[in-house]
Amino acid sequence: MITKPKGTVDITGSDALLWEYVNNVVSTMMKTYNYDFIRTPIFESSELFHRTVGETSDIVRKETYDFLDKGNRNMTLRPEGTAGVVRSFIENKAYAEPSVKKYFYNGTMYRYERPQTGRLREFTQFGVEVLGSNDEFIDAEVISLQYNILDALHISNLQVNINSLGDAESRNNYREALVKYFTPKIDNLCEDCKERLKTNPLRILDCKVDKDNEILKNAPKTIDYLNKESKERFEKVLKYLDYLDIDYEVNPNIVRGLDYYDHTVFEIVSLDSDSGSQSALGAGGRYNKLIKELDGPESYGIGFACGIDRIINVLKEIELYKEIKKEIDVYVMYVSEEEKLYALDIVQSLRLNGVVCETNNMNKGLKGQFKEADRLSAKLLVLLNNEDLKKGLVTLKDNVTKEEEKVDINEIVDLVVSNL
Ligand code: HAM
């Protein structure tokens, strides 16, 4: 038997219903915030991720799915969505348009990680990227959009952990402080951290091996190294979040595992969920340097991404969602070949009028069809039999109250629509 690759999932049955539910809430909310859907390729040239996510990030060092295509080009399955959206913004010169670009996306990402609950090798993110505005209001809008989507999904006790990495000057000052602090202590950290001290000391702070080490816990905090402008900027973002009534906590330990961030960075968790270390349902931040670094013009960017697989895990912990089950509007019943022709016609007319319906497609007898209709939780039944059909009649039955009446076949679609 061929089985699915390690770290991937099949989304079927009740999980698929939850999946659809999440996607509906996400796209409705994205539209109300005026975000436009964008779809970028699942694979991109490897260089894109080296230059955005960063050579020193764990993702690029250890987790990307890389391959040479038949033309000997280095390709990578996208580990995240930001890089592709920014590439598209530059390549399509969207920066030349007069308004801020507000994009949302939804798609699979690939990271070669050690699979565990909430950590997959193929996973799905929905996310947004806003390009072209440095207004602190946009930082607050992006964070509140992420918060409000999770809230609309009834995920309780949400908390945004927020921090600021500041501008280039603040980040340099902070980098120096980290080097000064870690250099005499480096022998007590893991081999990777020794390397990180030379390449990107910020990375030490989100080391998975040393995360509980006291040395990390007592390390200098970004927030103490922000220059005046960066500090004022961060305070404004927090003020706007207060106005929007978003629960947040300033957490200096949020430094994020991707290289492109500056200023605002954040993660969102549900304090009620027991998903432990994989508790971040979403995360994001500002990346004002990135567009220029990818050969675009001076511009600004900020975004977030949420893991749908993790959201589904949390939803399954909530009682309410055990109730979500499949339901159809109408089940059309027939037995003979002659009745079947009428059934085909009625089913098509109902479907074209937006009615969710099903019919007997396994040659079942009447008893089997009643059972099937119950299994699908059909609200109404339409019963066809030859004698009634000759008189132009069909039976419409309420599958809950069990009341039934014979009605004109030409009126069946209108009657069903008005009964739902
Ligand atoms: P990230 O923190 O790497 O950020 O991922 C965002 C979210 O994707 C995580 O909080 C988690 O819910 C989900 N996720 C990440 N890795 C996995 C995995 N292996 N299995 C299941 N879920 C996972 C980014 O990807 C940035 N691009 C976010 C961003 C957008 N920053 C700016 N714009």
Side-chain angles (χ1 to χ4, degrees):
M1 187 180 60
I2 299 172
T3 56
K4 61 186 178 320
K6 204 170 160 189
T8 65
V9 283
D10 294 321
I11 310 290
T12 63
S14 58
D15 282 3
L17 293 178
L18 276 176
W19 196 272
E20 276 186 300
Y21 164 75
V22 171
N23 284 326
N24 285 339
V25 170
V26 169
S27 32
T28 308
M29 195 72 98
M30 293 294 185
K31 293 213 168 87
T32 61
Y33 275 74
N34 191 31
Y35 282 63
D36 297 330
F37 181 67
I38 183 169
R39 187 184 178 282
T40 60
I42 285 178
F43 63 91
E44 299 263 6
S45 62
S46 305
E47 192 194 346
L48 176 67
F49 302 111
H50 286 247
R51 285 176 59 184
T52 54
V53 175
E55 304 275 5
T56 61
S57 66
D58 276 0
I59 297 179
V60 164
R61 283 180 58 235
K62 307 183 199 157
E63 295 170 0
T64 49
Y65 279 86
D66 303 311
F67 62 98
L68 266 188
D69 74 4
K70 290 190 176 18
N72 266 339
R73 299 174 200 90
N74 286 304
M75 294 290 162
T76 296
L77 295 186
R78 62 181 181 197
E80 58 100 55
T82 312
V85 173
V86 173
R87 186 222 17 87
S88 158
F89 175 76
I90 299 168
E91 188 173 340
N92 296 304
K93 298 194 171 52
Y95 51 79
E97 292 169 28
S99 46
V100 173
K101 300 305 288 182
K102 305 209 297 184
Y103 297 113
F104 87 90
Y105 52 89
N106 189 331
T108 49
M109 310 292 159
Y110 301 83
R111 297 184 194 175
Y112 194 81
E113 304 208 64
R114 199 162 52 80
Q116 49 190 291
T117 312
R119 194 166 283 281
L120 297 165
R121 290 185 175 168
E122 181 188 69
F123 57 99
T124 304
Q125 286 183 339
F126 66 83
V128 309
E129 310 298 341
V130 181
L131 295 156
S133 170
N134 193 32
D135 194 320
E136 292 87 351
F137 172 78
I138 288 290
D139 299 44
E141 176 178 292
V142 162
I143 293 169
S144 65
L145 169 56
Q146 182 182 39
Y147 187 98
N148 287 332
I149 289 175
L150 297 176
D151 189 50
L153 289 168
H154 303 287
I155 298 178
S156 53
N157 223 339
L158 292 168
Q159 183 179 290
V160 176
N161 293 315
I162 188 168
N163 190 21
S164 173
L165 303 175
D167 61 7
E169 185 187 60
S170 310
R171 283 192 62 158
N172 281 341
N173 291 342
Y174 183 56
R175 189 193 152 98
E176 275 171 27
L178 287 178
V179 172
K180 208 163 154 196
Y181 172 80
F182 281 121
T183 304
K185 304 179 177 64
I186 197 66
D187 287 343
N188 300 316
L189 297 179
C190 76
E191 286 309 308
D192 276 353
C193 282
K194 291 189 178 113
E195 194 54 36
R196 289 176 183 129
L197 183 63
K198 293 181 220 141
T199 54
N200 189 349
L202 201 76
R203 280 281 89 76
I204 299 177
L205 300 172
D206 56 27
C207 174
K208 285 169 195 146
V209 180
D210 284 323
K211 68 177 181 340
D212 296 323
N213 192 324
E214 286 299 311
I215 300 178
L216 259 65
K217 288 187 184 155
N218 298 324
K221 308 285 180 232
T222 50
I223 225 122
D224 298 325
Y225 292 84
L226 298 181
N227 60 17
K228 188 162 169 283
E229 297 82 67
S230 300
K231 201 159 177 251
E232 280 171 7
R233 186 178 198 291
F234 188 44
E235 278 163 4
K236 232 173 184 181
V237 173
L238 299 183
K239 181 173 120 186
Y240 292 156
L241 287 175
D242 286 333
Y243 269 76
L244 291 171
D245 230 1
I246 302 298
D247 282 325
Y248 66 81
E249 178 138 320
V250 176
N251 181 341
N253 297 325
I254 305 286
V255 290
R256 311 279 300 121
L258 303 97
D259 272 358
Y260 46 62
Y261 293 113
D262 51 18
H263 291 292
T264 314
V265 283
F266 54 91
E267 286 182 3
I268 187 161
V269 295
S270 163
L271 299 175
D272 285 346
S273 158
D274 24 83
S275 8
S277 62
Q278 311 309 330
S279 59
L281 296 174
R286 190 163 268 290
Y287 45 86
N288 284 349
K289 303 177 304 314
L290 185 62
I291 299 138
K292 187 92 191 281
E293 275 171 18
L294 275 183
D295 308 321
E298 195 75 59
S299 189
Y300 308 99
I302 183 168
F304 74 75
C306 283
I308 300 190
D309 307 84
R310 286 194 195 169
I311 291 174
I312 300 282
N313 288 346
V314 173
L315 289 181
K316 284 204 260 181
E317 292 168 14
I318 305 175
E319 206 59 34
L320 179 68
Y321 291 98
K322 302 206 172 107
E323 298 297 310
I324 292 192
K325 54 181 198 280
K326 194 170 165 65
E327 230 180 39
I328 67 166
D329 295 325
V330 179
Y331 190 89
V332 179
M333 300 170 64
Y334 69 88
V335 179
S336 72
E337 181 64 24
E338 226 176 337
E339 293 158 5
K340 185 178 193 172
L341 296 178
Y342 283 95
L344 284 176
D345 186 33
I346 292 175
V347 166
Q348 172 163 274
S349 306
L350 287 171
R351 286 176 175 163
L352 294 180
N353 279 278
V355 177
V356 183
C357 66
E358 192 47 277
T359 186
N360 172 23
N361 39 34
M362 277 179 74
N363 253 331
K364 288 189 171 150
L366 276 185
K367 204 168 152 205
Q369 292 183 54
F370 275 115
K371 271 199 190 147
E372 175 82 349
D374 285 345
R375 207 181 54 73
L376 293 170
S377 306
K379 291 178 215 137
L380 298 171
L381 306 178
V382 174
L383 295 104
L384 308 181
N385 71 60
N386 283 333
E387 264 168 51
D388 285 346
L389 286 170
K390 276 181 205 141
K391 296 182 217 146
L393 297 173
V394 297
T395 301
L396 178 62
K397 180 167 180 170
D398 187 310
N399 201 26
V400 181
T401 64
K402 306 297 175 197
E403 277 169 28
E404 59 175 67
E405 58 173 332
K406 291 200 174 165
V407 301
D408 188 329
I409 191 166
N410 296 314
E411 288 169 14
I412 188 68
V413 174
D414 288 345
L415 277 170
V416 165
V417 172
S418 62
N419 266 284
L420 284 173

